[in-house]
Amino acid sequence: MTAYSAAREGLHVVLLEPGAHVGGMVTGGLSATDLGNYRIIGGYARDFYMKAAANYGVHDLDHPANWLSEPHVDEAIFRAMLKDAGVEIHFHHRLRERDGVELKGKHLLSLTTDDGTRWPAKVFADCSYEGDLMAQARISYTWGRESAAEYAEDLAGVREKTPKHQFLWPLSAYDDHRHLLPEIDPGPLATPGSGDKKVQSYNFRLILTNDPANKLPFPRPPGYDRARFALLARYLNEFAQHLGRAPGFRDITNPVMIPNHKADFNNNGPVSTDYIGHSWKYPEATYAGKAALWQDHLLYTQAFFYFISQDASVPASLRAEVNQWGLPRDEFADTDHWPNQLYIREGRRMVGEYVMRQSDLQTGRTKPDSIGMGSYNSDSHNIQRVAMPDGNVQNEGDVQVPVEPYEIAYRSITPQRSEAENLLVPVCLSASHAAYSSVRMEPQYMIIGQAAGAAASLAIQHHTFIQDVAIPELQHKLREHGAILHLSEEFSAATSH
């Protein structure tokens, strides 16, 4: 969206994509769009979702169901938008590791990709989930959780109570020989409110189908070991005893139906598709380390679905329900029908001109330099699964707190002016863990991306640093293309173009 927006402003835009697809999670499995208050989603983001809805013969976005579409449809739309805007895309072009950025003081001169190609530009944007360009440009950043004291946030740091996606009764963390079960950290849990360098869990957002003509069975993955799901087996087998009914597929996943007999399956419950505790090293890992963690997450996901669909220890009624579903033949053809994007919910976060924090979502919700709005819950997934002193297992880290619509500051996507003058960071933006838990949603990335593209054009046009872009001019340009910037505004038919 940054590339599209900048190109629409007349710039020559080169989009370097390390993989083979555009769209990130929007085309990589997250089809159940995290909307919040959808009336504050305007601009090119709304245009995109209107195009997706039109593919199914729907011509408004007045209901949440109208925002749901299939990954291959979404990618076709993105590719068409980029082509129409004249964006020059280069797939399989990754920033060279460690020495891929040429700097002169605080001015970025060029990038170099793995193949040795040098890419000079006037303005750069790091639109990745990883923030490798930002890091190589020596921009200040962090990862993990701040302490509650750092920004006076009661949602920060280790959580004293984590009621959601939690074990619903006391469940031992140990086997009969007092050995810790797999996928449990021995602990102890740190003091509530303390900070750490642990990262909320990642997963793959699976698109599955219940259309017999389109579905493929869940394959047995290489190196499959059913023992890693001993905790899940114990939970499922005690389920009826505690809740008076057999466990269902929805007790361990969260399916949301999308068009053409498909659903987006997300994490749900205490043991699900989130690979809890295995994301911590990802933000700072080498490329090889990231690839290994990505593959480990994929194998966990494949093993999880094979286990719940095939293992004799899983209640038969649940196995039967799971096997009504399968991988879709018509999605993700080049990755064996598994999603092509790992859901990197949070990695590096810039420490930029302005750090968004919990208060920006709850009390100080207006910003003079607003470039768009967010409204989704403060939503962070569990960070660790720990053996507690009483011998039972507990998940920790989940945050789910409603917010009212709030404004996103342009300063949160600009580095400190002492560090870089021509780099924008729309995804690994400047926010605390508590604030990032809401702003990290895909519609907001699109909204922020539109602003980044427009800001790049103004910086080039006026020969200014990106921090000195005139905010009224930027806001005017965004509004010209349907953006919604302030709490006094929301999308309605009267404001449509």
Side-chain angles (χ1 to χ4, degrees):
M1 200 58 83
T2 300
Y4 175 76
S5 174
R8 287 282 301 266
E9 296 299 328
L11 298 187
H12 173 213
V13 181
V14 173
L15 176 58
L16 301 176
E17 166 53 52
H21 299 275
V22 294
M25 284 303 299
V26 176
T27 62
L30 200 165
S31 288
T33 307
D34 294 315
L35 292 174
N37 182 338
Y38 57 82
R39 293 176 181 84
I40 57 91
I41 300 171
Y44 294 151
R46 180 170 283 265
D47 290 350
F48 166 81
Y49 286 108
M50 280 294 291
K51 291 175 190 290
N55 184 78
Y56 303 101
V58 176
H59 300 286
D60 66 70
L61 294 173
D62 296 342
H63 305 282
N66 297 1
W67 296 73
L68 309 177
S69 46
E70 299 162 278
H72 74 271
V73 169
D74 294 336
E75 183 162 9
I77 293 168
F78 275 135
R79 286 182 183 246
M81 289 171 69
L82 291 167
K83 183 179 180 180
D84 290 347
V87 174
E88 182 183 327
I89 310 176
H90 294 267
F91 291 103
H92 304 294
H93 276 69
R94 182 174 64 175
L95 180 67
R96 191 164 70 190
E97 195 163 18
R98 285 184 290 278
D99 63 346
V101 178
E102 183 184 5
L103 294 165
K104 183 178 180 180
K106 56 183 181 178
H107 192 82
L108 278 71
L109 297 174
S110 70
L111 310 182
T112 301
T113 43
D114 274 343
D115 64 350
T117 305
R118 181 176 175 271
W119 303 90
K122 292 180 179 177
V123 173
F124 298 83
D126 185 340
C127 301
S128 67
Y129 293 119
E130 287 83 4
D132 290 327
L133 167 55
M134 172 186 72
Q136 283 200 39
R138 303 178 200 150
I139 306 303
S140 297
Y141 66 88
T142 188
W143 71 98
R145 298 186 279 188
E146 293 86 0
S147 70
E150 183 160 347
Y151 295 124
E153 298 174 307
D154 62 13
L155 298 181
V158 174
R159 307 287 290 151
E160 184 171 13
K161 293 182 180 179
T162 306
K164 301 288 188 179
H165 304 294
Q166 189 60 270
F167 296 91
L168 300 178
W169 58 88
L171 197 69
S172 175
Y174 301 90
D175 66 17
D176 294 339
H177 304 288
R178 197 59 189 173
H179 296 139
L180 196 64
L181 294 174
E183 304 300 337
I184 302 175
D185 191 286
L189 202 59
T191 306
S194 59
D196 56 32
K197 289 299 184 186
K198 298 174 180 177
V199 177
Q200 64 173 305
S201 52
Y202 302 164
N203 73 343
F204 283 90
R205 291 286 287 262
L206 256 61
I207 300 295
L208 303 180
T209 180
N210 58 6
D211 177 359
N214 193 31
K215 74 173 187 173
L216 297 165
F218 299 110
R220 181 186 176 100
Y224 173 73
D225 178 11
R226 65 177 302 275
R228 76 188 306 183
F229 297 106
L231 180 64
L232 177 58
R234 179 175 292 179
Y235 180 74
L236 294 175
N237 280 285
E238 292 186 13
F239 196 96
Q241 170 189 339
H242 290 276
L243 297 186
R245 62 174 177 82
F249 204 4
R250 289 180 177 272
D251 293 307
I252 53 171
T253 61
N254 180 32
V256 175
M257 293 301 298
I258 65 172
N260 292 324
H261 307 285
K262 295 174 188 170
D264 167 349
F265 282 75
N266 194 11
N267 180 83
N268 191 42
V271 183
S272 183
T273 59
D274 278 3
Y275 196 23
I276 297 174
H278 294 271
S279 55
W280 304 347
K281 293 181 180 179
Y282 190 90
E284 288 288 271
T286 63
Y287 285 173
K290 284 183 169 70
L293 287 166
W294 185 301
Q295 183 64 19
D296 194 28
H297 277 75
L298 179 59
L299 287 174
Y300 169 81
T301 307
Q302 292 171 335
F304 173 83
F305 279 92
Y306 186 78
F307 177 81
I308 61 174
S309 66
Q310 302 297 326
D311 198 277
S313 70
V314 174
S317 58
L318 174 56
R319 273 182 282 142
E321 188 179 357
V322 173
N323 283 305
Q324 292 174 14
W325 295 86
L327 300 171
R329 294 177 189 273
D330 61 347
E331 299 285 357
F332 312 122
D334 59 348
T335 48
D336 295 325
H337 311 286
W338 299 91
N340 54 45
Q341 176 66 56
L342 175 63
Y343 194 0
I344 301 158
R345 290 188 171 98
E346 182 176 3
R348 294 175 172 130
R349 303 188 307 278
M350 179 170 66
V351 181
E353 282 280 278
Y354 182 81
V355 179
M356 289 184 66
R357 56 203 71 180
Q358 183 179 333
S359 59
D360 292 304
L361 278 59
Q362 295 181 343
T363 52
R365 294 186 292 121
T366 60
K367 296 291 174 288
D369 58 339
S370 174
I371 52 173
M373 295 171 64
S375 66
Y376 199 80
N377 291 354
S378 293
D379 179 354
S380 179
H381 283 234
N382 277 309
I383 287 171
Q384 54 193 335
R385 182 182 289 131
V386 181
M388 301 301 287
D390 64 2
N392 292 316
V393 61
Q394 182 174 306
N395 291 337
E396 185 276 325
D398 185 90
V399 176
Q400 294 184 48
V401 176
V403 301
E404 296 295 320
Y406 58 87
E407 299 171 8
I408 300 166
Y410 174 65
R411 290 161 292 159
S412 67
I413 68 169
T414 62
Q416 298 172 41
R417 63 174 58 240
S418 61
E419 295 183 345
E421 62 195 23
N422 63 331
L423 173 67
L424 292 152
V425 185
V427 175
C428 296
L429 52 81
S430 182
S432 69
H433 165 74
Y436 199 80
S437 68
S438 169
V439 78
R440 67 179 182 83
M441 305 306 163
E442 274 57 34
Q444 276 59 51
Y445 289 153
M446 291 194 218
I447 289 166
I448 295 165
Q450 178 179 348
S457 75
L458 290 173
I460 291 170
Q461 178 184 336
H462 297 304
H463 306 285
T464 61
F465 300 158
I466 52 102
Q467 292 88 352
D468 295 327
V469 165
I471 297 303
E473 189 176 4
L474 174 60
Q475 291 176 331
H476 176 73
K477 194 174 284 289
L478 294 174
R479 282 201 180 92
E480 280 187 326
H481 298 294
I484 298 168
L485 306 182
H486 294 295
L487 299 180
S488 57
E489 309 164 13
E490 68 174 35
F491 190 89
S492 68
T495 60
S496 63
H497 300 271

